[in-house]
Amino acid sequence: TLSIAFGSRGKGGAAAATAHYEPLRRVINLTRMKGAGCLAHEWAHALDHSLAGTLSKPGSSELLASECRISPDAPESWKKLLAALKRKEDGTFTDFYVASDKFDQIHRKSGHGYWSSTCEMFARAFDCYIADKLREKGLRSDYLTAHSDCFVEEMSGTTYHAYPVGNERERLNQLFDALIADLLRASEELCMDIARMEDQQEFEQSPNAKIAVQYAVAYQYEHREEADHHGVGIPDEFCEGSFCSRLYEEIAKRKKKI
């Protein structure tokens, strides 16, 4: 699960971050006075962390999927998105990456490769994606995203934007659309597998659909550190007769034992 804290993590100070994500505790911290507008960026880090268990190669020790060795089974949308952060379709560096690298040079005393790291570029691109999605719908949320277009510096007479712009931004937005579609599709397929159904329309109309979703969420929460996200399934004893009634019977039995 993902938690959110307000000004309760860290020590603060002039050089403190306005917000941050802690993978080991799965918590987003927003500072009390300056954290507003950073939520989409930090949620992207949480998503990046959540995907690490399924999109990385076995044995990878990194906490974030964007920093892991990518599994061959990872969706093409993820591979293309990570590649598009730093490389154009012709193989040359993106303006986004060049500008991010320049930011590392300008802020070298505190940056340490922060701006051009894949995980931070992913989060800034996602922040822009959310801002654009809201704008498309005529909506605005300064608490969700307010700083996506604020990272601008000049160096030797050239202006650098440490966020995607123009065609690069459009391309990344399309890839984020594809990634989210793949994630939703994978979630639907997982829940359909749990309910032992193959037809999506039948699943959507089934009274067992909600239970299957709840079962998947409950399992992955209870076993969140070691969950087999590919092997979740309804126990065999629930498959005969009414699934819902048998599930509730099992829950009642376990409550009596407690």
Side-chain angles (χ1 to χ4, degrees), residues 2-12 17-22 26-32 35 38-39 42:
L2 179 62
S3 301
I4 187 167
F6 300 94
S8 61
R9 317 289 304 174
K11 298 180 179 179
T18 55
H20 69 271
Y21 173 69
E22 298 179 25
R26 298 178 185 268
V27 59
I28 290 173
N29 180 69
L30 305 178
T31 55
R32 289 190 181 92
C38 300
L39 188 56
E42 300 307 328

Side-chain angles (χ1 to χ4, degrees), residues 113-157:
Y114 167 89
W115 291 95
S116 61
S117 64
T118 305
C119 64
E120 288 300 329
M121 290 182 66
F122 172 79
R124 294 200 303 279
F126 182 81
D127 195 5
C128 291
Y129 170 74
I130 294 299
D132 291 346
K133 284 295 181 181
L134 288 171
R135 195 176 297 114
E136 286 176 9
K137 296 181 179 296
L139 301 174
R140 175 177 174 176
S141 174
D142 289 340
Y143 200 84
L144 183 61
T145 174
H147 315 299
S148 61
D149 296 333
C150 293
F151 308 112
V152 182
E153 293 279 6
E154 286 195 11
M155 189 175 184
S156 302

Side-chain angles (χ1 to χ4, degrees), residues 191 195 203-217 243-244 247-248:
C191 293
F203 175 75
E204 291 174 353
Q205 297 175 352
S206 171
N208 294 344
K210 185 176 181 179
I211 302 299
V213 172
Q214 292 174 337
Y215 185 89
V217 172
F243 166 60
C244 294
L247 179 58
Y248 287 122

Side-chain angles (χ1 to χ4, degrees), residues 60-251:
S60 294
S61 59
E62 290 83 357
L63 294 174
L64 302 177
S66 61
E67 303 292 343
C68 291
R69 293 172 295 160
I70 302 175
S71 167
D73 297 329
E76 285 300 313
S77 57
W78 176 251
K79 297 175 185 177
K80 290 180 179 179
L81 175 57
L82 289 190
L85 291 172
K86 297 186 176 182
R87 296 281 184 176
K88 298 179 182 179
E89 292 180 283
D90 62 5
T92 59
F93 287 124
T94 61
D95 295 338
F96 181 25
Y97 175 69
V98 170
S100 298
D101 184 61
K102 290 295 183 183
F103 264 63
D104 281 330
Q105 296 176 35
I106 296 170
H107 303 284
R108 59 183 179 275
K109 289 184 179 181
S110 59
H112 304 296
Y114 167 89
W115 291 95
S116 61
S117 64
T118 305
C119 64
E120 288 300 329
M121 290 182 66
F122 172 79
R124 294 200 303 279
F126 182 81
D127 195 5
C128 291
Y129 170 74
I130 294 299
D132 291 346
K133 284 295 181 181
L134 288 171
R135 195 176 297 114
E136 286 176 9
K137 296 181 179 296
L139 301 174
R140 175 177 174 176
S141 174
D142 289 340
Y143 200 84
L144 183 61
T145 174
H147 315 299
S148 61
D149 296 333
C150 293
F151 308 112
V152 182
E153 293 279 6
E154 286 195 11
M155 189 175 184
S156 302
T158 302
T159 300
Y160 294 98
H161 302 84
Y163 56 87
V165 297
N167 292 334
E168 291 180 5
R169 184 156 171 160
E170 291 179 7
R171 183 185 176 206
L172 286 171
N173 284 351
Q174 292 172 359
L175 291 172
F176 272 116
D177 279 339
L179 174 63
I180 291 172
D182 282 343
L183 294 178
L184 290 173
R185 190 178 304 110
S187 299
E188 291 172 352
E189 290 174 355
L190 173 63
C191 293
M192 289 171 63
D193 288 343
I194 291 173
R196 311 268 176 111
M197 294 183 180
E198 297 182 355
D199 184 86
Q200 184 174 355
Q201 186 174 359
E202 179 187 359
F203 175 75
E204 291 174 353
Q205 297 175 352
S206 171
N208 294 344
K210 185 176 181 179
I211 302 299
V213 172
Q214 292 174 337
Y215 185 89
V217 172
Y219 173 88
Q220 293 186 13
Y221 171 73
E222 184 175 356
H223 304 279
R224 53 193 175 279
E225 299 302 332
E226 71 280 355
D228 177 0
H229 299 276
H230 302 290
V232 184
I234 292 176
D236 290 337
E237 61 265 26
F238 293 154
C239 297
E240 297 178 2
S242 170
F243 166 60
C244 294
S245 61
R246 288 180 177 273
L247 179 58
Y248 287 122
E249 286 175 9
E250 180 65 19
I251 292 172

